[in-house]
Amino acid sequence: MTGTSTPAPFTADDYRARMERATRAAADAGLAGLLVAPGPDLVWLTGYAPTATTERLTLLVLAPGQDPVLVVPTLEAPDAEKAAGAPVLTLRDWTDGKDPYAAAAALLDASGRFGVSDNAWALHLLGLQKALPRTSYASLTEALPMLRAVKDEAELRLLAAAGAAADATFEEIRKVPFAGRRESEIAADLADLLRRFGHEQVDFTIVASGSNGANPHHEVGDRAVERGDMVVLDFGGLKDGYGSDTSRTVHVGEPTDEERRVHDIVREAQEAGFRAVRPGAACQEVDRAARAVITDAGYGEYFIHRTGHGIGVTTHEPPYMIEGEEQALVPGMCFSVEPGIYLPGRFGVRIEDIVTVTEDGGRRLNNTPREMVTVD
């Protein structure tokens, strides 16, 4: 893994296609355009990630019938010009002492409804509303939840590489001692391994031992892992700009019959969720398939979260595998399938893979053992 080649960067044409696709999606949704602040949407659309997010307005304006415009502070314009998508953008800079909202307002329909990236500051949205009081706004997650959901072949390769790096991390962590070491020490090992296998950003390293495993989002602490513990490992981050996220539950020494049975139920549920992945199926069908296995086994009340979430340039994004989500699965979508059982005061089990929708089903991007793994 350490010797893998650097992937080819996205080109200006790639970013042009994304901005055109986003503009069409906005028009189809009845929006006058999209307003994108610094954050994952701006990176995905333009390749531009400001080195520091400040109170100065930076805003990408996409609207039907006009070229994409990036409004940037003058002092940050040289960096914006270096972005991979800059050649297909018009940069409009503004200097301190000038009104940035007037610069942005000149690009907008004065009575339009706009989709706004979730990372936009309230300060800037209120500034636009003051400049254009007849405009209205909707979050991109609400207005265009599937904007980044369907990945192209290059994105799928990057996600597969991130998944392989997370798998390599698990294969290495299972070799280290667990008993007698603090959760925080093992979490540090996970972070170091993710970076060794190419991650530039580590988003989370959950190590939940014993009764802590009953908390799905346990914050690692100083509890010493003991022989006889079940340990939930959930870790991921960004490699070459795309996310990894996987969970495996290991046991320190030999498990009891009950622990093995609960682990087997979760493994069967995870397999059922994976088998439910196919084009045209609703997201909720993945949740239903996994949840039915756990419910039928008598543990339904202990499966306390959705079955999955999308992944891409962030480790959590739409679509979500949960009851009530009727969005149809489309080839190229990528998301987690991660059922779990959490027994308060005792232990927890979660098994998670990233899955992509193919033309005739699904393909896992994580391939480490899902059977019970014992560690020392």
Side-chain angles (χ1 to χ4, degrees):
M1 289 296 304
T2 54
T4 55
S5 60
T6 301
F10 294 115
T11 66
D13 285 340
D14 293 325
Y15 291 112
R16 185 203 308 273
R18 290 178 185 179
M19 285 187 276
E20 290 175 350
R21 170 178 153 194
T23 303
R24 288 194 301 270
D28 291 344
L31 298 171
L34 302 180
L35 309 178
V36 185
D41 291 311
L42 187 63
V43 171
W44 183 77
L45 286 163
T46 69
Y48 179 47
T51 55
T53 303
T54 72
E55 72 283 357
R56 293 182 174 92
L57 178 71
T58 296
L59 196 70
L60 173 68
V61 179
L62 300 177
Q66 68 182 49
D67 292 335
V69 178
L70 182 63
V71 178
V72 293
T74 299
L75 77 169
E76 294 174 12
D79 288 335
E81 290 170 350
K82 298 174 185 176
V88 295
L89 287 167
T90 297
L91 266 61
R92 182 167 297 183
D93 65 318
W94 61 275
T95 58
D96 285 352
K98 301 293 186 180
D99 183 357
Y101 306 111
L107 304 170
L108 307 182
D109 179 341
S111 59
R113 181 169 177 79
F114 295 89
V116 181
S117 60
D118 298 352
N119 293 70
W121 287 22
L123 170 72
H124 299 320
L125 188 57
L126 292 170
L128 287 172
Q129 286 181 315
K130 184 176 180 181
L132 296 171
R134 290 185 292 135
T135 53
S136 59
Y137 305 91
S139 74
L140 282 191
T141 292
E142 173 192 339
L144 298 176
M146 296 298 111
L147 180 62
R148 304 196 318 256
V150 179
K151 276 64 179 179
D152 61 26
E153 287 301 319
E155 291 181 293
L156 290 174
R157 286 193 295 271
L158 289 167
L159 283 162
D167 284 357
T169 295
F170 177 72
E171 293 294 356
E172 290 298 313
I173 201 69
R174 61 188 286 192
K175 300 175 186 177
V176 309
F178 275 65
R181 300 181 68 216
R182 294 185 177 92
E183 292 176 342
S184 56
E185 294 174 316
I186 299 169
D189 288 344
L190 282 169
D192 288 344
L193 287 165
L194 285 168
R195 293 188 183 98
R196 183 200 302 178
F197 291 119
H199 282 63
E200 70 272 9
Q201 177 177 312
V202 176
D203 285 351
F204 46 88
T205 52
I206 294 174
V207 179
S209 61
S211 61
N212 289 339
N215 176 0
H217 283 173
H218 170 66
E219 293 286 341
V220 296
D222 289 332
R223 182 186 186 276
V225 178
E226 301 175 0
R227 184 159 292 278
D229 277 348
M230 195 84 89
V231 185
V232 179
L233 304 173
D234 185 348
F235 50 93
L238 298 182
K239 179 182 184 296
D240 297 316
Y242 279 75
S244 69
D245 185 2
T246 189
S247 300
R248 293 293 186 263
T249 303
V250 301
H251 197 277
V252 186
E254 286 302 311
T256 66
D257 289 344
E258 181 191 21
E259 288 169 333
R260 192 177 292 279
R261 182 174 66 254
V262 171
H263 191 281
D264 284 346
I265 292 166
V266 174
R267 180 174 54 82
E268 291 168 11
Q270 208 267 351
E271 177 65 23
F274 171 70
R275 288 199 306 268
V277 175
R278 62 188 184 281
C283 291
Q284 65 183 1
E285 291 182 40
V286 178
D287 183 83
R288 287 173 177 175
R291 200 169 299 276
V293 173
I294 292 174
T295 299
D296 290 348
Y299 290 92
E301 65 183 293
Y302 302 112
F303 181 10
I304 56 177
H305 56 71
R306 64 196 175 203
T307 293
H309 58 81
I311 191 169
V313 293
T314 58
T315 49
H316 287 74
E317 62 186 46
Y320 299 104
M321 306 301 113
I322 186 62
E323 181 67 31
E325 178 52 79
E326 297 180 350
Q327 169 66 45
L329 299 180
V330 176
M333 282 184 176
C334 294
F335 48 84
S336 65
V337 178
E338 51 177 306
I341 292 175
Y342 308 93
L343 303 178
R346 302 186 62 206
F347 64 89
V349 177
R350 180 164 64 258
I351 301 172
E352 173 185 14
D353 294 326
I354 298 303
V355 173
T356 184
V357 185
T358 65
E359 293 296 333
D360 57 2
R363 174 169 63 93
R364 285 185 167 101
L365 301 187
N366 295 108
N367 294 288
T368 53
R370 283 167 284 277
E371 295 77 20
M372 175 75 77
V373 167
T374 59
V375 296
D376 294 329

